Amino acid sequence: MSRATTRRRKVLAILAGGLVLGIGAAYTLAQWNDSEFATGDFTAGTFVFEGSADGVDFDDHATSGEAASLAFETGADNLAPGDVVYAAYALRVTGSYDAALTAVAPVATGSFTTAGKLTYDAVSTSAFGCDESAFAGGGAVPATIASGDVVNLCLRVTATNTLEQGDTGSVVWQWNAESQS
């Protein structure tokens, strides 16, 4: 046997031994490896802003085209300068979050787009209902609504001296609620 062959065999033997030791070491290390996992389930909260013209049946009136029809007292269809009419409306938030509440200035259509023919006021009341006494004892419309709470409002519309015979149109009130998460 030549010296090169002997040397070659020794190198191969050393490599084979290293391979066996390497596999054994890898197997031993694999015995001591471990993994741990955790998972969580998530669901988004809910937030619904609704209104009611009767204080009982609440619904989502998301656009001015879907606005709730207010029940103004008798005389709203036959106004004269100085007349005052009232309507009750209730707001509530349901779901997971309280809400910040803001009122938007009422928007008039028809003859009432001329500024000053009608004036508008709103107060918060303790119960659903509306008349002049609500303005004597009512409070400011709140800045927040707690989820599940109802905010009762009294809306007052006054016809001014600039009202003309035959004026006609409608007025849309808007409130915005922003969730407070």
Side-chain angles (χ1 to χ4, degrees):
M1 211 185 258
S2 76
R3 194 173 174 164
T5 304
T6 305
R7 189 179 202 186
R8 188 170 177 236
R9 283 187 179 170
K10 284 182 183 179
V11 170
L12 288 175
I14 290 172
L15 289 175
L19 182 64
V20 169
L21 285 175
I23 290 173
Y27 180 74
T28 302
L29 289 176
Q31 295 290 326
W32 293 99
N33 284 334
D34 194 3
S35 298
E36 182 65 32
F37 299 91
T39 186
D41 295 327
F42 301 92
T43 303
T46 60
F47 179 77
V48 179
F49 185 44
E50 302 173 307
S52 173
D54 65 6
V56 177
D57 298 315
F58 285 83
D59 202 356
D60 186 7
H61 308 97
T63 67
S64 62
E66 301 169 356
S69 182
L70 294 170
F72 277 92
E73 62 189 47
T74 304
D77 61 350
N78 192 26
L79 292 173
D83 284 350
V84 180
V85 292
Y86 304 90
Y89 196 66
L91 302 170
R92 78 174 179 191
V93 171
T94 61
S96 308
Y97 307 105
D98 297 346
L101 180 65
T102 55
V104 176
V107 175
T109 66
S111 305
F112 301 119
T113 57
T114 302
K117 290 190 176 196
L118 300 175
T119 62
Y120 318 100
D121 298 298
V123 294
S124 177
T125 60
S126 58
F128 190 83
C130 191
D131 59 23
E132 186 57 36
S133 66
F135 285 85
V141 177
T144 59
I145 300 177
S147 180
D149 285 354
V150 172
V151 172
N152 294 301
L153 300 175
C154 179
L155 307 176
R156 176 172 64 186
V157 176
T158 304
T160 68
N161 290 334
T162 61
L163 186 72
E164 297 175 21
Q165 292 183 44
D167 278 346
T168 186
S170 62
V171 178
V172 176
W173 282 262
Q174 177 181 344
W175 297 271
N176 295 326
E178 181 179 335
S179 69
Q180 302 296 291
S181 55

